[in-house]
Amino acid sequence: MKDNAFVNEEQIFNALDNADLSKEHINDILAKAKECKGITIEEAACLLQLTDKGLLEKLYEIAGYIKEQIYGKRIVFFAPMYVSNICANNCLYCAFRTGNKDLKRICQSPEEIENETLFLLREGHKRVLLVAGEHPKYSGIEYLEKAVAAIYKARYNGVGIRRVNVNCAPLSGEDFKRLKQCGIGTYQVFQETYHYDSYMKYHVSGPKRDMANRLLAPDRAIEAGIDDVGIGPLYGLYDFRFETLATLQHCEHLNALYNIGPHTISVPRLEPAQNAPVAENIPYPVNEDIMRKIVSVFRVAVPYTGIILSTRERAEFRNELINLGVSQISAGSRVGPGEYSKEEGLVESKDQFQLSDQRTLAQIIDVLLNDEFIPSFCTACYRRGRTGETFMKHAKEGDIHEMCLPNALLSFREYLHDFASDEVKAKANVVINKYVETLPENMKSKVKELIANIDKGEKDQYI
Ligand code: SAM
Ligand code: SF4
């Protein structure tokens, strides 16, 4: 029997088959979307099937409008930290799979993890996404506890990582409680594909083959007190329209049960990977036009859910996607354990997939500043208790933006102080000053005061 929990394949196929693509109907959907209150799965099914250039442009325009209204030009940075590539699963698209006998297997010790973290701190990162393969012996909860603690322990010039998010295999409710105790921010788990037959086809062995267990992992995390969860499909395994609508069903499921949607949705695309047949021969390739559609539809359908993109996209296209709705990106990423601290030029096959974008955080920031984006290293919400339902309440009332912009500016100022060249500082301070002037009077004076503190050498100033 198909055990795919809340996924209603029939609803998705019906929505796609019966979509009314008339200009009139699409215009009605777009007018509704502009109110920033989201749209239904049936309405999203129409937008995902648009081919009319004029209507597509209109969709992008409205996605851009919503992005601007809710998130402004802020863009949050994080870096992934791969701690272990030992895995008991056999996902046919991943180099960590048990069937890949050519991969050098590594499970980093807490000391090694702390050392890796130093490399990220030296770059200026404050947010880390811990990533691990699934193995009962090597990456169970005891190991994860030690790994998170090691990341938080690292200090560079007295400053540490301020938010560790975790992307690991589904845990039991009890283990999620323990993970929460470690002080993590978001628990992230990608469903890969919500399509049952494809899921069974590409997850050939190991605990991950239990699809329902994975589908319900965010439920268990929320019930265990981790109320910021991140979800997403891995685009390329099945039809992007199906995956996007199923992700929206997932949002509805979480909303119905817990009154909160996911904190973030990620939109990764399959990358080539060593000895990974499905990544070499992608079943449903996703091109840039499709990516534009995916990001725009998520932006209009769930306006208050952050959208995460990896920096693997080429710079110009990534900027375009940021304008359409992406609110978080990774930068300076390495995708294998021990990769940050490895000797320059040493090539070993322990990575999860091939990474084309090798630019550093500083290089990416420099380019983003040209378009007046505001890089943010903010970790305030989580530390002020603005998570889960509390976060959503602020977000829906529109006042989260009033806090996020000042916090982005403050965290960026601290970054500039500690890590940027004089040239970048000068360029960035023009942008910062410009945005400070847009703040309401009382906030403006508060922010100026905190900026002065940062300029005097104080750290971690936020609202
Ligand atoms: N092992 C855990 C799991 O699978 O949930 C967590 C870590 S796993 C390395 C994190 C994610 O990497 C997976 O959920 C999958 O979406 C993504 N991934 C795997 N192979 C990939 C590939 N070839 N290209 C892009 N992303 C990939
Ligand atoms: Fe293991 Fe995760 Fe890779 Fe699957 S995607 S092989 S579970 S690391």
Side-chain angles (χ1 to χ4, degrees), residues 226-271:
I226 304 174
D227 51 6
D228 281 353
V229 294
I231 61 170
L234 176 55
Y235 283 102
L237 294 177
Y238 188 59
D239 187 309
F240 79 94
R241 289 162 290 208
F242 181 98
E243 302 292 16
T244 306
L245 296 180
T247 307
L248 293 177
Q249 279 185 345
H250 200 165
C251 297
E252 282 191 354
H253 164 80
L254 295 174
N255 246 320
L257 251 68
Y258 309 105
N259 208 19
I260 42 168
H263 189 63
T264 53
I265 292 175
S266 297
V267 291
R269 282 198 274 186
L270 263 180
E271 302 286 332

Side-chain angles (χ1 to χ4, degrees), residues 197-216:
D197 290 346
S198 304
Y199 191 93
M200 298 316 284
K201 190 165 155 194
Y202 303 133
H203 300 98
V204 288
S205 62
K208 191 161 167 181
R209 208 171 143 73
D210 183 346
M211 182 178 182
N213 182 52
R214 194 169 183 88
L215 282 166
L216 297 175

Side-chain angles (χ1 to χ4, degrees), residues 82 84-99 105 131-135 167-170 190 192 202-203 205 207-208 214 234 352:
Y82 283 69
S84 169
N85 63 8
I86 304 180
C87 196
N89 291 309
N90 210 348
C91 313
L92 296 181
Y93 45 82
C94 180
F96 292 176
R97 71 192 184 93
T98 179
R105 302 286 169 172
V131 185
E134 175 169 15
H135 200 286
N167 181 320
C168 70
F190 302 152
E192 325 299 13
Y202 303 133
H203 300 98
S205 62
K208 191 161 167 181
R214 194 169 183 88
L234 176 55
Q352 191 197 7

